[in-house]
Amino acid sequence: CKIDGSPNNLSDVEDPFAKKFEVLFCGRVTVAHKNAPPALIDECIEKFNRASCTKQSDCNSSSQQHETASNFGGFSFSDKFRSVFQPLVSEEEEKRPIRKSFSQPGLRSFAFKKDLQGGSQRSSSFIRSFEEDAISLNLKSQLIYGHSVVQPTDIAENRTMLFTIGQSEVYLISPDTKKVAIEKSFKEISFCSQGIRHVDHFGFICRESSERGGFHFVCYVFQCTDEALVDEIMMTLKQAFTVAAVQQTSKVQPQLCEGCPMQSLHKLCEKIEGLHPSKTKLELQKHLTTLNNQEQASVFEEVKKLRPRNDQKENELVISVLRNMYEEKQKDHVHVGEPLTENAVNEAPSSASRFRLDTLKNKAKRSLTESFESILSRVSIIMLMVIVVTFTEDCVTFDSRFRQTTHKPFCAHYFSDYESKHSQQAIGEDSPVRTRRHSWRQQIFLRVATPQKACDSPSRYDDYSELGELPPRSPLEPVCEDGPFGPVKEERKRTPRELRELWKKAIIQQILLLRMEKENQKLQASENNLQNRRLKLDYEEITPCLKEVTLIWEKMLSTPGRSKIKFDVEKIHSAVGQGVPRHHRGEIWKFLAEQYHLKHQFPSKQQPKDTPYKELLKQLTSQQHAILIDLGRTFPTHPYFSAQLGAGQLSLYNILKAYSLLDQEVGYCQGLSFVAGVLLLHMSEEDAFKMLKFLMFDVGLRKQYRPDMTILQIQMYQLSRLLHDYHRDLYNHLEEHEIGPSLYAAPWFLTMFASQFPLGFVARVFDMLFLQGSEAIFKVALSLLGSHKPLILQHENLETIVDFIKSTLPNLGLVQMEKTISQVFEMDIAKQLQAYEVEYHVLQDELIDSSLNDNQRLDKLEKANSSLRKQNFDLLEELQVANGKIQNLEATVELLLTNEGKLKQSILTLEQERAALLKTVEEMQKKIGDTDGKPLLTRQGHMVAE
């Protein structure tokens, strides 16, 4: 949400010289003066804490207030606030030296009239404004005063912002909403300060317009990760203010006239601003002594007439009288940049007349503009009244009378009368010159949009006779029958039932309009999403996906419950080899990640905390400088990332920031921005973060980004060994010129080839990365070097070889790219990579051992022996525990077997009893049959048989 009336367009914020910092927006406080004491920030934080407590107590006291949510000034107030500030510090920390705060140098506003208007509303003491205990944050006080005194931010919302310091303005950009939250020019900022107890907080005071008219001063408070960042921000602000002040002084100085009466009044206002009324009175008396006796007497008489009650009122009256006096002087003043010479004195009357003429012109323009605006405002009010009245019962009579006397909107009457009067004055009543002609299209428009008056003269259409027969007039216009207006039937009064039907119809139409508006918004959002997706996928595919392959992918992706179904590995491998449709690529990557999780049921031990993505975005990262610097270097030519602090860069910043907070060991490393950028081009921001987490932790890429870079060194060794085994002549050529793989292959591994190669090729590399893991990177590197071996062997020095690999190799054609990808699917180097990794560790141990003497080697072996012995003991203990568990399980099995035998014996006994009972039943049935002469199976017999 927007904090003030700042623009949403991020393209207006582009400034290549701007410095960006990530801050946490804490809230704002309305203050009484544009300057403040050094303890301002600490006082604001205490105000926020008090406001939070007040809000919580209000919510607990009333259930209705608990259900009410209000939003003022761009901030949403939830039911509960949580303090976002540090607790009160100890006495030792309070003894720290007070940090210096500074006011903005040399950038004072010339709008002193507004200062005088708002002066009566300000308190004479700034500190007194912070000692008020009653801070009302309920709905009623908000509506009465128009703005709240204290506005802390809602803890549930994402309050992290990018604080951008430009050449003449300060911006606060929300990476979450991708919009500008605050835009303040340096002229509006009057004070900047850092906290004394809360050294990781800072803020600034700026002037804002009030809803009641006039203006008020607001202090914005922010929090940073640490004190060093606040120091950097304050230093940057100070430098920016100084440079802007110098530039403004150089521009404004030649335009100033030191002899201007209004300039002297402005200097007086600057001198007395912020002074106590008694000191202000002394300064005004000193200034009055510079006037002549007549002017002093007039000021004294004017002030005496109004009889001021105190010094404050008297000072205001004196300033008002001086302003009127200097304004009168300004009318006859001649602007002079330098002391007047004799020639200048002679030319003074002409220049004075010229300045008077300019003044009159400006007044005329101003009066015309104001009159035009007042006319338009009156017209809008009248039309609004007409619309409202038409829904009432008296509307019929009023509307009928209105239509009888008027057949145009008020503005049409005004301009037609104005035009007719001026045309008559210009050409006269008997002039043969006709008025301005209208085309037949304009005539139709005028009849439909602004109905003409009735035929008040027979020559009404004389000017349009040559256009042929005109179409009928507007139905709103009465037909000219008997006289200029003709008889008009009076409209009958609408009955209450008709009025209710009219209201019902209006309500239904309003509901339909609202629904249509929602549908339009949905369509617009859908169109924006499609356009944004089209912009993201703006790259050339190297493997055009056939329709049959696309259908195979769509069938697999649309399988119900696919996240729990294991698909055929060969089928997936074949589908990836034949191609991946670009518009389904992001979903296919998520599908491959799901299949990986099904294949590896037990995740790796190094799994991150399951912190929600949105919660990570609410925190501040210490890696912000490195991330912000690399944003502009990541895909600088791609349209989605090219705009400075555009939607693409802000989304990329969010992903990298969230990962730096999730993985504290890695934080942020160069190269991660390209990996996250490729993911972001194919899926949403949150999904891209999940896939980055999958690649780093599950696939194991995070090892190469760790601070020690040990895994990256192992990878460089593995690549060299692959070249040695598969392309011996190329390996010898590179070794002859002392070209190690770190000179050209390190960016390949750290960015997954994204920093140098086309996006279509990089997308195919990511297809194989999700399918085969990190092994695919070695395959691609080996295939690239092997396929270009003849060209590399032609170069005979280090510079040309490295330049070819870095510059020419990435620009290979589509055919060569497709050939490289096909070779990768046919390679299998998993066993070699494992062997080379073990070989690297063995060689490393040998190298360490060779640098040690006998005693050191003996100590090392003893330590290794003791470590192995300890591991052996641990394993023995685990083995004993396992044997104990096995014995317990065996005893349990024996017990279960014994119980099973007993149960089997019971079953045999029961079966024998059942057979005996069945035999008895048969015998009884026979006896019953013999006695009755026929067999009879009674119900009881059936039951016994069963």
Side-chain angles (χ1 to χ4, degrees):
C1 57
K2 292 176 65 178
I3 298 174
D4 62 356
S6 52
N8 286 336
N9 193 2
L10 290 176
S11 61
D12 300 335
V13 189
E14 291 190 12
D15 185 356
F17 302 101
K19 290 201 67 175
K20 298 171 282 292
F21 308 89
E22 188 190 35
V23 298
L24 191 72
F25 180 60
C26 301
R28 63 181 185 177
V29 176
T30 303
V31 296
H33 199 272
K34 71 177 186 179
N35 293 326
L40 168 68
I41 306 302
D42 298 321
E43 295 286 348
C44 288
I45 294 173
E46 293 176 5
K47 287 285 183 180
F48 292 149
N49 292 332
R50 261 187 272 171
S52 302
C53 297
T54 305
K55 182 65 180 178
Q56 289 179 1
S57 61
D58 291 342
C59 293
N60 295 330
S61 63
S62 175
S63 60
Q64 294 180 353
Q65 291 181 359
H66 180 76
E67 296 175 355
T68 303
S70 59
N71 192 338
F72 294 94
F75 301 107
S76 59
F77 285 83
S78 63
D79 295 336
K80 294 182 179 181
F81 283 108
R82 180 166 60 86
S83 177
V84 297
F85 312 107
Q86 297 176 350
L88 294 177
V89 296
S90 59
E91 296 181 358
E92 297 179 358
E93 293 178 340
E94 287 183 352
K95 295 179 181 179
R96 286 185 178 180
I98 295 179
R99 306 189 61 80
K100 294 183 179 180
S101 57
F102 60 93
S103 296
Q104 177 189 357
L107 289 178
R108 297 181 180 271
S109 174
F110 288 94
F112 54 86
K113 292 183 180 180
K114 292 184 179 180
D115 291 339
L116 293 174
Q117 293 173 1
S120 60
Q121 300 176 2
R122 298 187 219 143
S123 174
S124 59
S125 175
F126 176 82
I127 303 177
R128 192 182 308 164
S129 65
F130 279 107
E131 295 176 352
E132 300 173 0
D133 294 331
I135 302 173
S136 179
L137 288 177
N138 54 26
L139 182 62
K140 189 179 295 183
S141 65
Q142 293 284 353
L143 295 175
I144 292 175
Y145 295 107
H147 65 275
S148 63
V149 177
V150 180
Q151 292 182 343
T153 51
D154 187 357
I155 193 64
E157 300 294 333
N158 183 13
R159 299 171 293 114
T160 56
M161 304 280 180
L162 288 181
F163 188 76
T164 307
I165 304 173
Q167 292 181 325
S168 61
E169 291 171 317
V170 170
Y171 300 98
L172 202 67
I173 302 173
S174 171
D176 193 22
T177 61
K178 313 296 186 297
K179 294 180 181 179
V180 178
I182 294 179
E183 178 188 5
K184 299 295 179 185
S185 65
F186 289 168
K187 292 181 180 179
E188 298 176 90
I189 301 175
S190 60
F191 183 83
C192 296
S193 179
Q194 182 178 2
I196 298 175
R197 296 194 303 272
H198 304 83
V199 292
D200 58 343
H201 289 71
F202 75 98
F204 61 82
I205 296 177
C206 62
R207 186 172 66 178
E208 293 184 358
S209 59
S210 176
E211 296 179 1
R212 298 173 295 170
F215 60 91
H216 59 279
F217 296 100
V218 177
C219 177
Y220 290 90
V221 182
F222 307 93
Q223 184 180 8
C224 298
T225 53
D226 50 23
E227 179 184 358
L229 185 61
V230 178
D231 292 337
E232 187 177 355
I233 292 175
M234 299 297 287
M235 184 59 64
T236 305
L237 283 171
K238 188 173 184 179
Q239 293 174 355
F241 288 162
T242 305
V243 172
V246 172
Q247 293 177 353
Q248 186 186 24
T249 304
S250 62
K251 293 179 181 178
V252 175
Q253 192 65 30
Q255 301 176 359
L256 295 179
C257 175
E258 295 296 334
C260 275
M262 298 304 293
Q263 179 68 12
S264 61
L265 180 62
H266 172 63
K267 291 181 179 179
L268 175 63
C269 293
E270 284 185 339
K271 186 181 296 184
I272 66 175
E273 188 173 12
L275 296 179
H276 192 270
S278 59
K279 294 184 180 180
T280 303
K281 186 175 181 180
L282 292 176
E283 292 293 335
L284 291 176
Q285 290 176 356
K286 291 180 183 178
H287 184 77
L288 290 175
T289 56
T290 60
L291 306 178
N292 55 39
N293 295 333
Q294 184 179 357
E295 292 173 343
Q296 292 182 19
S298 63
V299 172
F300 178 74
E301 290 176 1
E302 292 291 336
V303 175
K304 188 176 180 181
K305 286 179 184 178
L306 298 175
R307 297 179 181 178
R309 291 174 294 178
N310 50 34
D311 291 344
Q312 181 69 19
K313 294 293 183 182
E314 182 179 350
N315 295 338
E316 293 176 2
L317 291 175
V318 172
I319 288 293
S320 179
V321 174
L322 288 176
R323 182 180 61 187
N324 295 332
M325 182 187 300
Y326 284 130
E327 285 178 352
E328 292 296 328
K329 285 185 178 182
Q330 189 72 27
K331 296 178 181 179
D332 301 329
H333 175 69
V334 179
H335 294 284
V336 179
E338 297 178 355
L340 291 175
T341 60
E342 295 181 0
N343 296 332
V345 173
N346 296 330
E347 296 175 358
S350 61
S351 61
S353 62
R354 186 175 70 253
F355 279 110
R356 290 195 193 97
L357 181 60
D358 294 338
T359 305
L360 291 175
K361 288 181 180 179
N362 293 331
K363 285 185 177 181
K365 292 178 181 178
R366 195 182 309 114
S367 62
L368 181 60
T369 305
E370 291 174 355
S371 62
F372 180 71
E373 291 177 354
S374 63
I375 289 170
L376 291 181
S377 63
R378 279 181 283 170
V379 170
S380 61
I381 293 172
I382 292 174
M383 297 305 294
L384 181 61
M385 290 174 61
V386 171
I387 292 171
V388 173
V389 172
T390 51
F391 283 97
T392 62
E393 187 177 355
D394 298 333
C395 165
V396 179
T397 306
F398 177 80
D399 192 37
S400 62
R401 293 176 183 173
F402 182 74
R403 293 188 180 186
Q404 289 177 10
T405 57
T406 306
H407 307 286
K408 289 186 188 179
F410 180 78
C411 57
H413 273 297
Y414 175 81
F415 285 113
S416 62
D417 295 342
Y418 177 83
E419 187 177 353
S420 62
K421 289 179 182 178
H422 283 266
S423 62
Q424 289 175 5
Q425 293 176 3
I427 62 176
E429 294 179 355
D430 301 331
S431 175
V433 181
R434 293 183 176 182
T435 57
R436 182 174 62 87
R437 290 197 173 200
H438 297 275
S439 67
W440 61 273
R441 293 186 181 87
Q442 292 172 333
Q443 182 64 17
I444 292 174
F445 171 75
L446 291 174
R447 289 182 180 179
V448 176
T450 57
Q452 304 291 327
K453 288 184 180 179
C455 45
D456 42 2
S457 64
S459 61
R460 178 177 177 182
Y461 300 110
D462 289 348
D463 294 337
Y464 313 104
S465 58
E466 58 189 52
L467 297 176
E469 186 177 356
L470 293 173
R473 291 173 293 178
S474 172
L476 297 177
E477 182 176 345
V479 181
C480 180
E481 296 178 356
D482 301 331
F485 293 97
V488 180
K489 295 181 179 180
E490 292 186 2
E491 297 182 9
R492 65 179 181 83
K493 271 190 175 183
R494 291 188 176 93
T495 63
R497 182 177 180 181
E498 291 176 343
L499 291 174
R500 281 194 296 270
E501 292 294 329
L502 186 63
W503 270 107
K504 184 178 179 181
K505 184 178 180 181
I507 292 171
I508 293 174
Q509 290 179 352
Q510 186 66 23
I511 293 173
L512 290 175
L513 286 174
L514 291 175
R515 289 179 179 175
M516 292 174 65
E517 184 68 23
K518 290 182 179 179
E519 291 297 326
N520 288 335
Q521 290 177 359
K522 291 180 180 178
L523 291 174
Q524 185 67 28
S526 177
E527 184 179 353
N528 292 338
N529 290 335
L530 289 175
Q531 186 177 1
N532 196 18
R533 188 175 180 183
R534 203 177 297 116
L535 185 68
K536 283 183 174 183
L537 300 178
D538 185 16
Y539 63 84
E540 186 177 6
E541 284 190 292
I542 65 169
T543 308
C545 193
L546 300 177
K547 186 176 181 180
E548 294 78 7
V549 182
T550 304
L551 292 176
I552 293 173
W553 280 118
E554 290 177 350
K555 184 178 180 181
M556 285 193 290
L557 294 176
S558 60
T559 303
R562 72 177 195 200
S563 60
K564 299 180 180 179
I565 299 175
K566 285 186 179 182
F567 288 81
D568 185 16
V569 178
E570 293 297 329
K571 183 179 179 181
I572 296 175
H573 195 277
S574 175
V576 174
Q578 294 178 20
V580 173
R582 176 168 48 183
H583 55 284
H584 289 318
R585 180 163 270 135
E587 195 66 25
I588 290 172
W589 288 351
K590 291 192 284 185
F591 168 73
L592 295 176
E594 292 169 358
Q595 293 299 307
Y596 179 90
H597 286 141
L598 291 175
K599 185 178 179 181
H600 303 81
Q601 294 289 341
F602 301 100
S604 60
K605 296 180 180 179
Q606 295 180 344
Q607 284 295 321
K609 296 180 180 178
D610 192 14
T611 308
Y613 178 66
K614 293 183 179 179
E615 293 298 324
L616 292 171
L617 293 182
K618 295 178 183 180
Q619 305 175 28
L620 297 175
T621 176
S622 59
Q623 307 286 333
Q624 56 172 292
H625 280 314
I627 297 174
L628 289 170
I629 289 173
D630 286 345
L631 287 182
R633 303 173 182 173
T634 306
F635 302 115
T637 58
H638 195 278
Y640 185 65
F641 295 107
S642 58
Q644 184 187 13
L645 292 182
Q649 288 194 6
L650 292 176
S651 296
L652 183 60
Y653 176 81
N654 286 339
I655 295 173
L656 298 174
K657 164 194 167 180
Y659 184 81
S660 68
L661 293 168
L662 182 72
D663 190 356
Q664 297 288 343
E665 182 183 4
V666 172
Y668 172 74
C669 179
Q670 281 188 337
L672 272 178
S673 59
F674 285 93
V675 180
V678 174
L679 296 173
L680 187 59
L681 290 177
H682 294 87
M683 58 189 71
S684 65
E685 185 178 310
E686 190 167 356
D687 288 339
F689 174 74
K690 291 179 181 177
M691 290 300 100
L692 177 63
K693 189 166 64 171
F694 167 76
L695 291 177
M696 297 294 284
F697 286 92
D698 295 298
V699 179
L701 296 184
R702 72 180 295 272
K703 298 177 182 177
Q704 66 188 30
Y705 295 103
R706 295 169 69 176
D708 55 3
M709 292 288 183
T710 303
I711 300 299
L712 184 62
Q713 295 176 7
I714 297 175
Q715 290 172 341
M716 296 298 101
Y717 177 80
Q718 289 171 320
L719 181 60
S720 296
R721 289 288 284 110
L722 288 171
L723 285 175
H724 180 272
D725 292 349
Y726 285 89
H727 305 286
R728 181 68 61 86
D729 50 352
L730 179 59
Y731 171 80
N732 293 332
H733 185 68
L734 295 176
E735 287 294 321
E736 181 181 352
H737 294 87
E738 298 181 353
I739 300 175
S742 58
L743 290 177
Y744 58 86
W748 295 356
F749 283 82
L750 292 175
T751 67
M752 309 298 136
F753 300 91
S755 62
Q756 298 173 351
F757 287 79
L759 266 173
F761 180 79
V762 175
R764 290 296 285 158
V765 173
F766 271 73
D767 294 341
M768 294 178 290
L769 184 64
F770 277 94
L771 181 65
Q772 302 176 0
S774 58
E775 178 185 346
I777 309 173
F778 292 95
K779 294 180 180 180
V780 174
L782 186 62
S783 179
L784 284 172
L785 294 172
S787 59
H788 292 80
K789 179 170 60 174
L791 297 176
I792 298 175
L793 294 175
Q794 291 178 2
H795 298 279
E796 295 296 335
N797 56 65
L798 184 145
E799 290 80 7
T800 57
I801 294 174
V802 174
D803 182 68
F804 176 83
I805 296 176
K806 284 186 176 182
S807 303
T808 308
L809 189 62
N811 296 323
L812 65 164
L814 295 177
V815 178
Q816 188 62 41
M817 288 183 185
E818 180 61 29
K819 182 180 177 181
T820 302
I821 298 299
S822 301
Q823 291 177 357
V824 169
F825 277 95
E826 297 173 358
M827 297 172 63
D828 185 11
I829 56 174
K831 294 181 179 179
Q832 289 93 319
L833 291 176
Q834 293 178 359
Y836 298 153
E837 184 176 359
V838 174
E839 186 178 303
Y840 175 86
H841 289 295
V842 172
L843 292 174
Q844 187 180 33
D845 292 339
E846 291 180 356
L847 180 63
I848 295 174
D849 292 342
S850 63
S851 61
L852 302 176
N853 54 31
D854 295 338
N855 293 331
Q856 292 175 341
R857 191 179 295 108
L858 182 61
D859 294 338
K860 182 182 177 181
L861 291 174
E862 288 179 353
K863 290 180 181 178
N865 189 19
S866 61
S867 177
L868 292 173
R869 189 175 299 160
K870 183 179 179 182
Q871 292 179 8
N872 191 17
F873 287 148
D874 295 339
L875 291 173
L876 286 175
E877 291 179 358
E878 293 179 3
L879 182 61
Q880 291 176 357
V881 172
N883 288 331
K885 290 181 178 179
I886 291 172
Q887 291 176 359
N888 292 332
L889 291 173
E890 288 177 350
T892 305
V893 168
E894 290 179 357
L895 181 62
L896 291 174
L897 290 174
T898 304
N899 292 334
E900 184 183 4
K902 292 180 180 179
L903 291 173
K904 287 181 178 179
Q905 188 66 30
S906 300
I907 290 171
L908 288 175
T909 304
L910 291 172
E911 287 180 350
Q912 291 176 358
E913 290 179 359
R914 181 174 179 274
L917 289 172
L918 289 174
K919 188 175 181 181
T920 305
V921 169
E922 290 177 356
E923 291 176 356
M924 293 177 66
Q925 287 178 351
K926 287 180 180 180
K927 292 180 180 180
I928 294 172
D930 293 340
T931 57
D932 295 343
K934 57 180 180 180
L936 178 64
L937 185 64
T938 62
R939 185 175 181 183
Q940 184 177 3
H942 279 290
M943 294 176 62
V944 173
E946 290 178 357

